[in-house]
Amino acid sequence: MNLTLTRPETPYLRPVIPVTLALLAGIGWGAHRPGYLPLALMVLLVAGFFLFHRLRQHKPGCWAPLLAVAAAGYLSMVPWISPHYAPDHIVHYLDDDYWRVQATVVEPAVARLGRARSIVAVDCLSRDHVSRSVRGRIRLIVMGRSELARGDRICFPARLRPFRNFQNPGAFDYRRHMAFQGIHASAWVRADRIKREERRTVSPVQRRLDAIRDRLGRLIDTAGERSAAAARAVLKALVYGDRSGIDNDLRERFNRAGVGHLLAISGLHVGIVASVAFAGFRWLFALFPALLWRGWGRRWAAAATLLPVLAYGVLAGMSASTQRAEIMVGAFLGTLIIGRGHDILNTLAVAALIILLIFPPALFSISFQLSFAAVVAIAYGLRKIAPMAEPAGRRRPLKRVAAFILVSALAIAGTTPVVLAHFNQTSLVGIAANLVLIPLAGFLAVPLGLFSALLAWVFEPAAQVGFRLALETIEISLAGVDVFVGLPFAAFKTVTPSFLEITLYYLTGWAVLNLRNLRPAPWVLAASLLMATADGLYWATVRFWHSDLRVTAIDVGQGGATLLELPGGQVFLVDGGGFSDNRLFDMGQRVVAPFLWRKKIATVDILVLSHPDADHLNGLIYVARHFNARELWTNGDAHATFGYQALMAACRENGIQVRQMTADACGTVVGGVHLAVLHPPAGVPGEPRAIDRADRNDDSLVLKATFGTVSFLLTGDITMPAEQVLVTQVGEHLASTVLFAPHHGSRTSSSPVLIDAVRPDWVLVSAGAGNRFGFPHPEVIDRYRRSGCRIVCTCTHGAALMRTDGRTLEVDTVVTAGDQRRF
């Protein structure tokens, strides 16, 4: 294939591309700076007037059309970022009281770990003999066995809670993510409290599709009785988009191997279906000479291919990624049908334009970004890299392998910044894994599975044979995944790139590809490298060459996690937050680690576990595995729980020294900061204890960090008896500028004796919003206020960032004063 440009590249050589880029810019502007609505309207009106004036003079509109499109993109995001909800919308009924909820299941339940998640559309709320008709969707979590099906009418009692974000700098906006999907609240209920009412009739098409998926699922399970559950789950995901069996472990294995895209029906799978169908139809239509004489065979094959492509998308449930793939492939086939020259970059821009006009928030979808980054990188890279000569004879297979490797390398290069931004991980074996696994799982398992699905309606025994062969292919693929993942260098975690760094990466790639044929390319490359160097020096200064002490109370909900960045760059992490079961939500993976990576922290020198309760311990497990820690300080309480054992295993696997710290340990000075352990007293035993032991909290490790005249006292979960012991043993040395309130502001802590001894200027309370314990207790808050303390609570202020040069203290919070909720 020989690609030669006959005209110079200008912005309007492919007119859809600049229009799409302008729309992208406008949507991004609207999402991140929503307060400029009048300015956007002004830009739209001025650009529209200028364009109208130029057209009347029969002159080109210059850049006016792009400005108008950018302004329109901004305005298209306004209803999504600042929505206006009708009086009967569900968002007006979110509170702490129980409602009797009548709803319709719109997405069937997906069971995992003893609970099932479903999406329901609420029709009616009732309470105190008063009913209200409402509308809106919520996420329903059913505790126990649930067999809710699409279209079921159900009734249940529940509290409707808004989604809560973890308010940390740059954190993922989960509430907005769910709102973009039309889901505005969450509720949970026990399975035995759900009353299924009459079955609402779903559309005949939907009912038929559900029946087809159920039958295919049963056939795959029957054919794969001897196959691993993972193989059956992968085949179901590939054939009809059922990803309910894909657990976190399986997904992580594929991601580490660099083939995570195989698990979601996307451009690769739809492209395979289109390629196979197009080849088949071309062969079929070649049997009719009349079509060949008139040159219609290619067009008719492209038109006929639309049918299986659409059918595959419908069978797969038309998820967002599938819809994007369908539009992209449909746009490509459309160029073949109308007989126009195909330019893949322009076709890709058309697909992106259609998607964003229909649903502007799609721009912020990970799958959207990955799909288009991969295709753009492949298309543009192949266009710029010198094409290989048409192979001949025995060298053709080798050339095809080389072409496949080049395509994989371009796709990985194009998506690496996006993957790092969202997952902080990149695979080093991705090219090799794709070379082996795409032919197996993509070009063999997918066509074989779909062909078997067709056979199921003709001759079921033959279909089961086909599914069995597909499952065997998947099992070979899974074995290959394990081989690649088992390599010590398979993948690595790294810090989060900023928007500037991502932009510089792509500019550098563009410049490298155009060094020989575009005059500005060397200058762009030089400028990019210069800015990248400046960016590296900036982050080196922020990360390692700072002379101040920074202490951050991370918002981990109901729990505690505090980051200490010492002068010179050493990092301490005191506790990591966490929920009772990391399989349901890993606080370390989802909250603490992303926060650290955004701060360019890849190494945590010392981990400190105040005491082995889940809300302090479980978040440390992930950090211990991925942040090159040297030591773990504990209070010596060897808590015989799964979380504690997992943390100890992570320390053994990563060579982390575990040190028991008590009040007799000598203090240490790091970067000019004096770190002293004040509690528990010496002699605390380290053997496992009963889980319900009442004084476990009182053995919490208490740490004091002093820098100049400013000090921070971190107290864990000690209660009043331990506070009395602490005051008696330490006395006046307890005085601190900032006190981290013991036990999250519990009523059983923060005694007047402790407050008088510490005499803090600031009190930091780490607690979750609306937690079931009622932390912080109003009596405790009043006690601190009467003592003249300024109070910061993560449940209302979000993360608190404190900085000191040893003389003065600056305190900033993520949530501003106007947005805070009262205690």
Side-chain angles (χ1 to χ4, degrees):
M1 179 176 62
N2 187 16
L3 299 176
T4 304
L5 287 177
T6 58
R7 293 177 291 174
E9 293 195 18
T10 67
Y12 289 96
L13 176 62
R14 303 180 186 90
V16 183
I17 294 180
V19 171
T20 303
L21 292 177
L23 184 64
L24 289 173
I27 291 174
W29 177 32
H32 295 94
R33 293 292 185 270
Y36 294 91
L37 180 60
L39 177 60
L41 287 171
M42 183 184 304
V43 171
L44 180 62
L45 291 175
V46 172
F49 175 79
F50 180 78
L51 178 61
F52 177 75
H53 177 70
R54 298 283 292 184
L55 291 177
R56 286 194 62 185
Q57 295 180 339
H58 303 287
K59 296 180 179 179
C62 299
W63 296 98
L66 301 185
L67 289 176
V69 170
Y74 182 97
L75 296 175
S76 71
M77 281 303 299
V78 171
W80 296 95
I81 299 300
S82 303
H84 174 72
Y85 297 110
D88 62 343
H89 198 275
I90 192 71
V91 297
H92 301 298
Y93 298 92
L94 309 183
D95 55 34
D96 290 332
D97 293 330
Y98 274 93
W99 291 96
R100 190 71 182 173
V101 183
Q102 292 180 331
T104 304
V105 178
V106 295
E107 290 187 17
V110 176
R112 180 171 175 261
L113 300 175
R115 60 181 64 190
R117 291 189 176 188
S118 180
I119 305 300
V120 300
V122 179
D123 305 316
C124 179
L125 297 176
S126 58
R127 185 169 63 194
D128 299 330
H129 307 291
V130 177
S131 297
R132 297 175 175 87
S133 296
V134 298
R135 57 191 178 91
R137 295 184 175 188
I138 67 171
R139 183 188 66 191
L140 179 64
I141 301 176
V142 182
M143 310 299 291
R145 184 177 177 84
S146 172
E147 296 181 354
L148 298 179
R150 197 190 319 268
D152 281 349
R153 286 277 297 165
I154 58 176
C155 184
F156 57 91
R159 292 188 178 102
L160 304 181
R161 299 289 182 86
F163 293 106
R164 181 184 179 273
N165 292 327
F166 292 97
Q167 301 286 357
N168 296 304
F172 177 66
D173 193 337
Y174 184 69
R175 180 182 298 172
R176 190 180 75 171
H177 169 73
M178 297 301 287
F180 283 170
Q181 301 177 54
I183 305 169
H184 298 87
S186 178
W188 73 270
V189 63
R190 295 201 313 266
D192 58 2
R193 303 198 68 183
I194 296 179
K195 179 182 178 183
R196 184 182 283 109
E197 298 179 353
E198 78 278 5
R199 175 86 176 194
R200 173 174 288 186
T201 303
V202 296
S203 67
V205 174
Q206 186 63 63
R207 185 169 62 249
R208 186 62 174 169
L209 285 173
D210 290 341
I212 292 173
R213 295 190 188 104
D214 290 342
R215 185 182 180 191
L216 291 177
R218 290 193 300 269
L219 287 174
I220 292 174
D221 288 334
T222 302
E225 290 178 347
R226 298 181 181 180
S227 302
R232 298 197 300 270
V234 171
L235 186 58
K236 291 177 182 178
L238 296 179
V239 172
Y240 61 96
D242 179 9
R243 303 182 66 193
S244 60
I246 307 294
D247 58 22
N248 291 335
D249 177 67
L250 181 60
R251 186 179 295 108
E252 178 63 17
R253 286 158 57 193
F254 272 74
N255 288 338
R256 283 183 58 81
V259 290
H261 55 90
L262 288 174
L263 294 177
I265 293 179
S266 58
L268 172 65
H269 307 83
V270 177
I272 290 172
V273 172
S275 299
V276 173
F278 184 73
F281 283 123
R282 285 204 69 180
W283 172 83
L284 178 62
F285 294 145
L287 301 178
F288 300 92
L291 296 178
L292 297 179
W293 294 337
R294 300 180 182 181
W296 289 355
R298 184 181 178 89
R299 296 185 180 185
W300 278 100
T305 301
L306 289 173
L307 183 60
V309 166
L310 180 60
Y312 181 50
V314 171
L315 179 64
M318 277 295 182
S319 65
S321 60
T322 306
Q323 292 175 28
R324 283 188 288 274
E326 295 273 316
I327 293 174
M328 291 169 62
V329 173
F332 171 75
L333 293 173
T335 61
L336 298 180
I337 294 172
I338 64 178
R340 295 291 300 273
H342 173 63
D343 185 301
I344 190 170
L345 292 175
N346 210 49
T347 303
L348 186 66
V350 170
L353 187 64
I354 294 172
I355 293 168
L356 294 175
L357 288 175
I358 296 173
F359 184 58
L363 175 61
F364 308 102
S365 166
I366 298 174
S367 58
F368 178 94
Q369 297 171 10
L370 289 175
S371 298
F372 283 94
V375 179
V376 168
I378 293 170
Y380 194 77
L382 289 177
R383 187 180 186 89
K384 291 298 179 179
I385 295 175
M388 293 176 293
E390 182 67 23
R394 60 182 180 180
R395 298 186 61 190
R396 177 168 298 190
L398 183 60
K399 291 291 186 178
R400 287 180 176 175
V401 171
F404 186 89
I405 292 175
L406 176 60
V407 168
S408 297
L410 289 171
I412 292 173
T415 57
T416 291
V418 181
V419 172
L420 291 180
H422 290 289
F423 305 110
N424 297 97
Q425 177 175 275
T426 187
S427 175
L428 299 180
V429 296
I431 295 178
N434 278 277
L435 183 63
V436 174
L437 298 176
I438 286 181
L440 280 174
F443 290 100
L444 286 180
V446 171
L448 190 56
L450 291 175
F451 182 70
S452 301
L454 291 175
L455 277 179
W457 307 104
V458 180
F459 189 54
E460 191 169 295
Q464 290 198 350
V465 172
F467 282 134
R468 195 172 299 117
L469 292 174
L471 286 168
E472 291 177 358
T473 304
I474 294 295
E475 288 190 323
I476 296 174
S477 302
L478 290 173
V481 169
D482 290 337
V483 169
F484 287 110
V485 170
L487 299 174
F489 54 85
F492 68 92
K493 298 283 187 179
T494 188
V495 297
T496 305
S498 65
F499 180 78
L500 172 63
E501 291 158 354
I502 293 174
T503 303
L504 292 176
Y505 175 92
Y506 285 122
L507 283 176
T508 301
W510 176 87
V512 169
L513 291 175
N514 289 280
L515 277 177
R516 293 184 177 181
N517 54 6
L518 287 181
R519 185 172 298 177
W523 295 100
V524 172
L525 178 61
S528 298
L529 294 178
L530 181 63
M531 293 181 66
T533 302
D535 179 75
L537 291 174
Y538 166 78
W539 281 111
T541 303
V542 170
R543 175 68 181 86
F544 298 106
W545 302 334
H546 62 91
S547 59
D548 54 358
L549 169 63
R550 303 164 185 171
V551 179
T552 304
I554 306 172
D555 180 10
V556 291
Q558 183 51 40
T562 305
L563 178 70
L564 280 68
E565 299 174 79
L566 279 57
Q570 290 207 46
V571 173
F572 281 55
L573 179 63
V574 182
D575 295 330
F579 294 146
S580 59
D581 191 342
N582 267 9
R583 296 174 300 173
L584 297 173
F585 189 91
D586 190 332
M587 187 66 68
Q589 180 182 15
R590 302 287 189 87
V591 177
V592 179
F595 172 76
L596 296 173
W597 282 320
R598 283 191 296 271
K599 293 176 70 67
K600 308 296 186 185
I601 295 175
T603 296
V604 176
D605 299 277
I606 306 294
L607 300 174
V608 180
L609 174 62
S610 64
H611 65 297
D613 280 356
D615 60 336
H616 294 254
L617 181 150
N618 282 357
L620 290 178
I621 300 171
Y622 188 87
V623 177
R625 288 173 176 160
H626 297 286
F627 282 83
N628 310 305
R630 299 197 315 267
E631 296 180 4
L632 170 67
W633 294 2
T634 76
N635 66 348
D637 186 356
H639 201 351
T641 62
F642 177 81
Y644 184 83
Q645 298 302 325
L647 179 60
M648 292 300 104
C651 290
R652 289 191 299 270
E653 294 166 2
N654 293 275
I656 301 174
Q657 181 184 359
V658 180
R659 295 179 57 187
Q660 178 180 349
M661 306 294 288
T662 55
D664 64 337
C666 296
T668 181
V669 178
V670 181
V673 177
H674 183 265
L675 299 163
V677 175
L678 308 181
H679 189 78
V684 174
E687 71 275 2
R689 308 175 180 186
I691 294 178
D692 60 350
R693 176 167 175 165
D695 61 351
R696 167 156 285 120
N697 286 338
D698 283 342
D699 289 338
S700 293
L701 190 151
V702 175
L703 181 69
K704 183 177 180 180
T706 305
F707 186 48
T709 60
V710 179
S711 54
F712 302 82
L713 186 65
L714 291 82
T715 57
D717 277 357
I718 60 174
T719 60
M720 290 182 181
E723 292 174 2
Q724 182 63 55
V725 172
L726 186 64
V727 171
T728 301
Q729 293 185 343
V730 181
E732 62 182 11
H733 296 293
L734 278 179
S736 301
T737 312
V738 179
L739 169 64
F740 283 71
H743 203 194
H744 318 289
S746 164
R747 189 178 186 179
T748 61
S749 302
S750 300
S751 61
V753 173
L754 178 71
I755 297 174
D756 291 341
V758 178
R759 303 187 303 278
D761 296 327
W762 292 85
V763 173
L764 195 291
V765 184
S766 182
N771 65 85
R772 61 190 178 92
F773 307 104
F775 297 158
H777 197 278
E779 290 184 12
V780 172
I781 297 300
D782 291 341
R783 198 177 300 155
Y784 282 123
R785 283 174 175 160
R786 288 196 300 270
S787 299
C789 304
R790 286 173 284 187
I791 303 170
V792 173
C793 184
T794 57
C795 63
T796 57
H797 300 83
L801 301 90
M802 295 162 278
R803 182 188 308 231
T804 177
D805 58 1
R807 298 182 300 274
T808 60
L809 176 68
E810 298 178 5
V811 180
D812 294 316
T813 58
V814 171
V815 180
T816 59
D819 297 328
Q820 294 170 13
R821 298 179 298 274
R822 295 187 62 85
F823 291 114

